[in-house]
Amino acid sequence: MANQGENNTKLGIFVMAGLFVLILTFFMIGKNKSLFGGDFVLKARFSNLNGLMEGNNVLYAGIQAGTVKNIALINDTTIEVTLAINSKVKAYIHKNALVAIGTEGLMGNKVVNIIQVKGTAVNVANGDLLSPQKTVSTEEMLQTLSKTNNNLAVISEGLKGTITRINSSTLMEVIDNKEMGENLKASLRNINKATEDASHITYGLNTLVTGIKQGKGSLGLLLTDTAFAGNLRQAGMKIRSASEQTSALTKQLNEVVDGVHQDLAYGKGPLQVLLRDSAAGSNLNKTIENLQKGTDGFNQNMEALKHNFLFKGYFKKADKKKAQLH
Amino acid sequence: MKIPTGKTGTPMGEPAIVIEHLYKQFGNNIVLNDFNLTLQKEENMVVLGKSGAGKSVLIKCIIGLLRPDKGKIIVGADDVTKLTHEELDRVRSKMGFLFQGNALYDSMTVRENLEFPLRRHWIDVTQKQVDDMVAEVLENVGLAQTADLMPAELSGGMQKRIALARTMILKPEIILYDEPTTGLDPVTAREIDKLILSLQEKYHTSSIIISHDMNCVKTTADRVILLLDGKCYAEGTYQELEQSADENIKQFFE
Amino acid sequence: MTTLTARIRAFFDETGNLSRFAGHFFSLGIKPRYEFRELLAQCYQIGYKSFPLVGLTGFIMGLVLTMQLRPSLVSYGVESQLPVMVGIAIVREIGPVITALIFAGKIASSIGAELGSMKVTEQIDAMDVSGTNPFKYLVATRVLACTLMLPMLTLLGDAISLFGAYIGVNIRSVTSFNLFFTQIYQSLSFGDVLPAFIKTFFFGFAVGIVGCYKGFNSSKGTRGVGISANSAVVLSSVLIFVIDLLVVQLTDVLGLN
Ligand SMILES: Nc1ncnc2c1ncn2[C@@H]1O[C@H](COP(=O)(O)OP(=O)(O)OP(=O)(O)O)[C@@H](O)[C@H]1O
Ligand SMILES: [Mg+2]
């Protein structure tokens, strides 16, 4: 009899433990769900939902902020999405916030990201319509990356040629030689364009990295988890420093040319010109070397990126297109 | 063919069990073929028969464990072949059944085995009464010290005695014994015989005893029947059958 | 040719008999008298006593699953999703099915053997004669105990499995207990948990009913007992997969995914 009682106690503990796990699970899941049970909703309109469904999560600054409550077709190009927003988060969302559709995890569910925008705006009210963020697609971003990369390579090649020639001749010759002058000017124009491109790519990379932080897209996720994020960021920095140096170079060259012209105009002696020449030459050399390093580093990163399987498809397509063009 | 014998033994007029035209067949194996029998009240009837003759099948039909193909088995006022499970249960509460293989519950102690038939009256009896009843039957079979052992810890003969104790714990009006003394030493076997007789005396039970043990038959039987070819081949007192010239009967008394 | 038709016939006979046996459970089992004491004793035997086995296998399963999944997730660069992946796999499918299979191996065989030997040694008949309905006393209690205890075992097994997975994650990298479970709970929805939980009742019922059916219909002799124990495990394991398949289809149709 006593034994039976003891067994029943053990059984009771066992069952209570099982029920505890069950209740805990339901409670934990229920907590996530019921928080968004309120009536506070926001709306957004998209032309393409990319598979977003009712019940998908809504994130604000990366925090769980609600769920997708309803999806309705308004006309042939517009879909209105209603978002049920967690009462704790709603106080922090401003009217100028943007919404975008992203992906949770590599192959995960779609999510709606609410992105805070700098600047002051009043808090959202129930039923407000938020505007969608113009998103740069991965495809576009990669295209820009690769184009800029190619441009930079060509430019740095051309620049190298020009500089070598500058180095092997005196500056006087450079200025006297009409053809060389044209070359240099062309190079300068290219450098300016490269600078523009470089700043463009830096912007692109920044967007990418922001996207990563918001868990946007499979690419974004991939990048958070691998060394590629670091690589890309490094590449961005290299490009930026290269672009800075390019502008420095342009400025220097301009200065040198101006200086020479002035010296000659003011009748300074050739000795002075020569002195300036050598100083400017070594200066120029150093800048160019730096530029070279920057583009090399970037090239390496691009190469590494090409070997990642996820991008293989893209680069293959690009190669094919190139082959067709040629 | 029926060996004619005079009606013997029983003083009471009212029968405890009446079996009429009983048929039972397993596939092509005809076991009972128009079997008839009447068991009087307070009568001890021994059923003789060769191994495989259908003795166990017969008493299983009586207690309702097997359904006969045809025929009537009247116990008291009820025909057990036509009863629902609940009604059958009511009839069974008056009957005890000793299984040939003991059928002790091997996951329970001896005490729990003995208490098991009391579950039928669980609500009406107190723990004190239960303990008393268990102690009494254990005393009867001479195994008072084994109450907390498991059946597997007992010898074959002890198991048989516990099974017997379990059969009689409810003091049923009718007891069906399937080979109560098989596998026991002669001394214990005689004790069992005495127990059967004393039970009958004390509680006025009617019993059907299946046995090959002629000593047991001799001491306990008011009447003996011989089961052969699914029929009641011979019927009479021990002495009557002993003196029979019939080959089939003589075999058992040699 | 005749053997083939005979076999097909036997298959349907068996199916019919098993269904009738299960039907008996619902028609007879729900009527008084209720064998509460025996039910509790069986719950203890079937549930509590199986817990160490289920816990151990669950722990190892979570650990191994994590270690096996890690390399491919690393090569996809989504190592951080390891808890989510393992969590979903365990909660939705592997936990319930493996627990049920382990349970079938342990319980269906023991019920089959126990009832089989009780049948062969006429203990079941003895109960019947003693005024205790053996179907209620032996079958209904065991089936009910299986039906109720397997969900409990699965819940605890899942929890232990996830703990094993947590250790598995921490072998190669570091994650906090809190983060690990927050990640899992956030990725889970009622649609993941409820069907997985509900199907374990059916698994338990299948194990119990098959074990009892095989034991109750055991043929004479120790060989018959062995065969009932063995075929109880085989049939209940197959049934577990069949039920699993049905549940997946059903949750799909009901849109619970
Ligand atoms: N459940 C059953 N299924 C099929 N055949 C059975 C069944 N029970 C008994 N039989 C057959 O019925 C016949 C009689 O069996 P029974 O057990 O009554 O013999 P018995 O007279 O008790 O023999 P023994 O003295 O050896 O116990 C045997 O041929 C047996 O094969
Ligand atoms: Mg027999």
Side-chain angles (χ1 to χ4, degrees), chain A residues 223-259:
Chain A
L223 293 173
T224 37
D225 262 300
T226 63
F228 281 113
N231 275 352
L232 266 184
R233 217 172 278 144
Q234 229 180 343
M237 253 141 61
K238 291 239 165 82
I239 290 163
R240 195 186 301 209
S241 81
S243 85
E244 272 160 16
Q245 300 201 356
T246 323
S247 355
L249 187 69
T250 323
K251 226 168 112 197
Q252 273 182 22
L253 270 175
N254 273 335
E255 265 173 25
V256 171
V257 174
D258 280 355

Side-chain angles (χ1 to χ4, degrees), chain B residues 60 63 65 85 89 92 99 103-106 116 119-120, chain C residues 33 35 121-123 125-132 137:
Chain B
K60 280 186 187 168
I63 197 123
L65 283 174
H85 203 274
D89 229 37
R92 281 171 174 177
F99 284 85
L104 292 177
Y105 309 121
D106 45 24
F116 201 88
R119 289 163 45 85
R120 202 196 281 281
Chain C
R33 92 196 235 183
E35 304 285 357
T121 58
E122 299 184 309
Q123 292 178 49
D125 285 343
M127 273 183 191
D128 208 354
V129 171
S130 297
T132 296
Y137 187 81

